[in-house]
Amino acid sequence: MRRAAVLVLLVAVAGGLIATAATRPAKAAPPADKPRVKLAVLVVFDQMRGDFLERWKPLFGPGGFARLLADGAWFKNCYYPYGTTTTGPGHASVLTGTCGDRHGIVNNNWYDRAAAAEAYCAGSTRYKPVPDVPKAAQEEPKPDAKPKPVGNPDRLLSETVADVLKRVHGERAKVFGLSLKDRSAILPTGKRPDGAYWFDGRFGTSTYYADRVHEWVGAFNAGRPADRWLGKEWTRFRPDLDYAKYSGPDDGPGEGKGIQAKDGTKLLWQQGKTFPHPVGKDRLAKPYYDAVATSPFGNDLLLEFAKACVTAEELGKDDVPDLLVVSFSSNDLIGHAWGPDSQEVLDVTLRSDALMAELLGFLDEKVGKGNYVLGMTADHGICPLPEVSAAKGIEAKRVDSKLLHLGAEKHLHAAFGPADQPAPKADAKGDPPKGKTAWVEATSLPWLYLNPRFVKASGRSHAEVARTLADHLAKQDGVARAFTREELAGELPESDVIGRRVRRSFHPDRCGDVYVLLKPYHLFGKVTDTGTAHGTPYDYDRHVPLVVYGPGVPGGPRAEPVTPQAAAAVFARFLGVPAPKDAEFPVPATLEKE
Ligand SMILES: [Zn+2]
């Protein structure tokens, strides 16, 4: 009650400001155009490469992706313009309309020099989980375990469309971000959404947002909807279909085994390389919930949760527009384990199509056709498994990052000393030296962070040491190039498209001293590793779908080159609010005319 009273007062004060805005040119709330919709829905598939929709188009049903692609504007030429194509940056970019060099989310994690610790893009220890983490969803905490970062948007430096909507309409516009992953719910919805919820055995938030979950979230969790797959298996969605014809063999080279549950060293169960994949055998513990997330059931669960949100919050009911961001994470977890050419990724994409049909049908019914805009994109693409690429004759391999790091340390020691110290070597676990007693104080790939004390003691300039390290790294097997921070801060020729992309992921306060770029189709990791990754400036990681379905948008494919960040301007236009301050990509010219 007291909070409501304060808010009413604030609204009254803001109203007063607007009333006198004509005589006061300074900071009034920005003007609102007439909104074109009652609800804007952003659907972000975590890891959906731009070619997937084309590749599997003949297999889609009528009401899902096919409806979006036919009746919405389908931008086939949509590429992220920056280098570090991971989940945090993707989700931070779409509704801010800019890149990591401005919004500051340069990667999922980076090294915080001041704290001498890893920083997480959407979390810190400043806040607590709400409700406190359910016992069933976590292993017994180790006595010496460091406190885990808890979700919040403090590190996001740019406003999102959600912030603008809230500034214009205050409490009357509702904003929700929902995902299995915290960063995907948090980063698109900015500093003051009505709710950001993510999954940890059940859906929760953090004390940044509220001291307790919304009533409908509590009710949703009380039904234990995530527990119903215990003992079940993930089987093929379309048993009638020849999956091998449309993807690859079920036990392709380099594929992973998904989630494994262990008791000490004893393997209890695992999802395995091939169908059917078990989703936990007999215990509601962390591996079970991880397996739910690493299967299409995670997406099913999130869709149910999103529907509960729209219904309970009455999104899209009144004339003040609302914003809902839903990010489906299971595609990413599955893609990492089995790779983009696997039957598992084909299967989750077919199921995503069915899920989209269900979502569109639900919105038609609840909000009404013509009353909502739906934007669909992805936070990044994906690199094929190196083993799959190699089998096709493409130069591809896994590059041992520990060896690379150790080699870098040895090289700097040999070049600059200190001469009275023995040459660096790996510890018993094969880890290179790091921290305050090493040249390379930390790595948070693709960045290496130099130890400033060592640089100073060597009597060399920072630029010289960084250049020496970059030149050494660039010569290593599997490495394409290495950039120094000085290089990225200076001029890069127009022709250096890769360098310019890398620079758009460079924020001087958060990035390291040398950025190491592997050759295309190469991955960091041990040669014995399985699965794949993303995060490079190469097209397979940058290319994502962008589809805008809404009133006044003629359907069909578009050839116009765009970025996913154009969604910020598009959503602002539909919501009738100004684009976010740092948004730099305009509404595509072909949005409203083919
Ligand atoms: Zn990923």
Side-chain angles (χ1 to χ4, degrees), residues 77 125 130 181 268 284 317 388 397 411 419 421 446 503:
N77 254 319
T125 51
V130 175
K181 292 186 186 174
L268 301 174
L284 290 168
K317 268 272 183 301
V388 170
K397 61 166 94 96
H411 186 77
Q421 269 187 24
R503 179 155 75 184

Side-chain angles (χ1 to χ4, degrees), residues 259-279:
I259 300 298
Q260 304 188 316
K262 286 182 174 169
D263 185 4
T265 55
K266 191 179 153 228
L267 183 68
L268 301 174
W269 58 268
Q270 63 179 1
Q271 285 184 293
K273 269 181 90 170
T274 57
F275 281 105
H277 300 288
V279 189

Side-chain angles (χ1 to χ4, degrees), residues 180 203 220 225-226 228-229 234 237 292-293 295-307 328-331 348 350-352 354-356 358:
L180 296 189
F203 286 96
F220 186 86
R228 66 181 185 273
W229 294 285
W234 166 22
F237 182 60
V292 169
S295 80
F297 306 135
N299 285 352
D300 294 346
L301 184 69
L302 187 73
L303 176 63
E304 254 173 70
F305 188 59
K307 285 167 146 188
F328 293 101
S329 311
S330 295
N331 306 60
V348 75
L350 295 176
R351 288 172 184 264
S352 300
L355 179 144
M356 182 57 78
E358 199 178 326

Side-chain angles (χ1 to χ4, degrees), residues 46-47 87 181 183 332-333 336 380 382 534:
D46 199 326
Q47 191 186 123
T87 293
K181 292 186 186 174
R183 56 188 177 278
D332 182 65
L333 303 168
H336 276 290
H380 52 72
I382 188 70
H534 49 86

